[in-house]
Amino acid sequence: MKISYKAVTDVGRRRKGNEDSVHANPDHRLFVVADGMGGHAAGEVASRVAVEAVDEFIRLTAGDRDITWPFEFDENLSHDGNRLQAAIRFANQRVLDTTATQAEYEGMATTVVAVLGGEADTVHLAHVGDSRIYLLRGGTLRQLTSDHSWVNEQILSGVISPDQARTHPLRNVVTRALGSRTELLVDLQTVTVEPNDVLLLCTDGLTTMLTDDELQEHLCADLPDVDKASAHLVELANERGGEDNITVLLVQFTS
Ligand code: CA
């Protein structure tokens, strides 16, 4: 399957700096988005350190299968699934190490979503936090990740509705992030992609400004032009107020 992609990140209309980081490494079929948190530009550092560490680990483990593995090998995951899980844990450790050596970064953390191409037509997905991965297939957009956020926990236990969550004062509280603790639980899944599938990786600066129905409508109208579709989504999020940094990464598969 051939891959075309487009990554766009934008500061938005309200924030001074952009704490999101986006990274594409098509040679390794790796795509990563991270949304950093922390004062004094620490959020920018956290997200950048994380995406660079994920990329580094994937490159290091691309050829030689006999390298020393820094984490327990998960028998339930494929080799590439293990590489991706370990890459996220490696990134978590890198963020923690950066915090430990530089006092001004204390308390910084970051979300991460990542896609790694696997054997045959599989792709491995990993996520921590409230950044998301969606799949557009046959004109229907489906969210593949489940936010690690306080409001999503409330939705899942039936306490509040998705509509209430959109405006809830605690909507920005994430319950899992890189940089919080040494032990990190990473959500992983494997998807078999089909021709014309498109994956959307994004931060909450997009999904708090646009509903899933709107994302679907505009993606369907603009694709297969990934350049146009990604720029358009960012533009729409800004038109709605651009209250946070906005990152859109589209990955399109064709036969
Ligand atoms: Ca954000």
Side-chain angles (χ1 to χ4, degrees):
M1 208 87 77
K2 277 185 232 139
I3 292 179
S4 49
Y5 70 95
K6 180 67 180 183
V8 184
T9 187
D10 189 90
V11 68
R13 296 260 168 94
R14 298 283 181 85
R15 302 287 176 96
K16 284 205 175 76
N18 189 347
E19 298 187 319
D20 290 355
S21 289
V22 58
H23 179 76
N25 184 338
D27 291 344
H28 289 272
R29 296 185 299 157
L30 173 71
F31 302 90
V32 192
V33 165
D35 179 350
M37 297 152 257
H40 308 288
E44 294 178 34
V45 173
S47 66
R48 185 167 40 79
V49 164
V51 299
E52 286 175 359
V54 170
D55 184 77
E56 181 183 331
F57 190 86
I58 292 301
R59 282 186 286 109
L60 273 172
T61 54
D64 188 357
R65 292 199 171 201
D66 294 327
I67 68 149
T68 307
W69 204 259
F71 304 96
E72 200 175 330
F73 199 82
D74 188 337
E75 300 290 336
N76 298 314
L77 298 172
S78 65
H79 178 72
D80 288 323
N82 266 292
R83 282 174 73 211
L84 186 58
Q85 173 164 262
I88 305 289
R89 289 183 172 159
F90 178 77
N92 180 51
Q93 196 53 54
R94 187 59 69 75
V95 174
L96 286 166
D97 291 349
T98 307
T99 306
T101 53
Q102 285 154 283
E104 70 268 34
Y105 298 147
E106 194 181 340
M108 75 175 179
T110 184
T111 72
V112 73
V113 281
V115 172
L116 177 66
E119 307 271 322
D121 289 331
T122 63
V123 291
H124 302 284
L125 315 180
H127 94 282
V128 175
D130 66 354
S131 301
R132 294 179 179 174
I133 304 175
Y134 290 85
L135 169 67
L136 183 75
R137 175 177 290 171
T140 302
L141 187 73
R142 190 159 56 94
Q143 186 182 337
L144 299 180
T145 52
S146 179
D147 296 350
H148 303 135
S149 66
W150 186 87
V151 287
N152 194 39
E153 286 178 2
Q154 302 302 302
I155 292 170
L156 294 174
S157 45
V159 178
I160 61 171
S161 71
D163 263 357
Q164 288 172 312
R166 299 183 69 81
T167 53
H168 199 283
L170 296 180
R171 64 185 177 278
N172 292 325
V173 176
V174 297
T175 49
R176 238 195 267 176
L178 277 68
S180 305
R181 60 185 71 180
T182 312
E183 290 295 313
L184 178 71
L185 193 58
V186 182
D187 280 11
L188 287 142
Q189 55 186 306
T190 303
V191 173
T192 302
V193 287
E194 298 175 1
N196 305 317
D197 276 358
V198 175
L199 291 172
L200 163 64
L201 287 73
C202 58
T203 56
D204 65 340
L206 179 74
T207 52
T208 51
M209 295 289 105
L210 298 170
T211 66
D212 289 5
D213 286 347
E214 289 170 326
L215 293 174
Q216 176 179 297
E217 178 194 333
H218 292 291
L219 285 171
C220 288
D222 294 336
L223 288 169
D225 187 338
V226 286
D227 290 11
K228 183 182 174 190
S230 51
H232 195 192
L233 291 185
V234 171
E235 189 185 309
L236 288 163
N238 272 322
E239 281 172 10
R240 293 286 169 81
E243 285 176 15
D244 196 356
N245 309 138
I246 308 150
T247 299
V248 173
L249 173 52
L250 292 172
V251 186
Q252 179 167 248
F253 299 86
T254 44
S255 50

